[in-house]
Amino acid sequence: MYHSHGPAAVADGTTIAEGQVRSVQVQSTYRGENTQSKTVWTFRIERYDDAGNRILLIPVEMRGLTFEGSINDGDWVRTRGRMRSGTLRVTRLENLTTGASVRAKGVSKAAWIVGGLFLVFILAWFAFLAYDGVTHAGTPPGFPGP
């Protein structure tokens, strides 16, 4: 069996937990029509003493557009995340049983940067059109000329 560490609060406000995966459930959520679904993994991290008594139970949730790696009931994992409403929210974990790194993937940073630059370009274009319209509009009808 693995060396087990209890859940530990870290100075940056995160919690580290290690134990055995139980009750893995996978759900897809949608927001509005024609949007990409988000996948949600929920499971528990549990640990038992030598007498078979459960000494640790932490509900865990991972959300992402896609996932890299996998977990199954019985796998021993180590993870770090933030506790919210009694559930540990994580984006990555180490599957100590398989040696795999498991990660919830969202929209890449490059996609966010490209989207942000596109938005800035559109706003700049509208600002230019508004400025050009004001400076080249000429004298409104009915006003005396210069």
Side-chain angles (χ1 to χ4, degrees), residues 108-143:
S108 70
K109 288 182 183 178
W112 280 108
I113 291 170
V114 168
L117 289 174
F118 182 73
L119 180 62
V120 167
F121 174 77
I122 296 296
L123 291 174
W125 179 252
F126 281 121
F128 169 75
L129 290 176
Y131 174 78
D132 190 52
V134 169
T135 59
H136 293 96
T139 305
F143 274 70

Side-chain angles (χ1 to χ4, degrees), residues 8-93:
V10 183
D12 65 2
T14 61
T15 299
I16 297 174
E18 182 178 316
Q20 202 166 35
V21 172
R22 294 283 184 226
S23 302
V24 177
Q25 296 180 0
V26 179
Q27 301 171 332
S28 292
T29 61
Y30 297 89
R31 287 194 176 181
E33 292 183 31
N34 301 322
T35 60
Q36 193 169 19
S37 69
K38 183 175 262 193
T39 302
V40 181
W41 287 4
T42 55
F43 56 94
R44 298 185 317 240
I45 293 178
E46 297 182 357
R47 261 204 331 266
Y48 296 84
D49 64 14
D50 292 336
N53 300 311
R54 187 171 55 210
I55 57 173
L56 175 72
L57 183 142
I58 300 174
V60 180
E61 181 177 275
M62 293 180 79
R63 294 176 172 263
L65 296 176
T66 61
F67 284 80
E68 184 176 89
S70 66
I71 57 170
N72 290 295
D73 277 12
D75 287 349
W76 196 268
V77 298
R78 181 183 305 130
T79 190
R80 179 180 193 151
R82 296 203 179 272
M83 292 297 288
R84 293 216 171 84
S85 302
T87 300
L88 183 61
R89 304 265 175 100
V90 302
T91 56
R92 64 180 53 224
L93 61 82

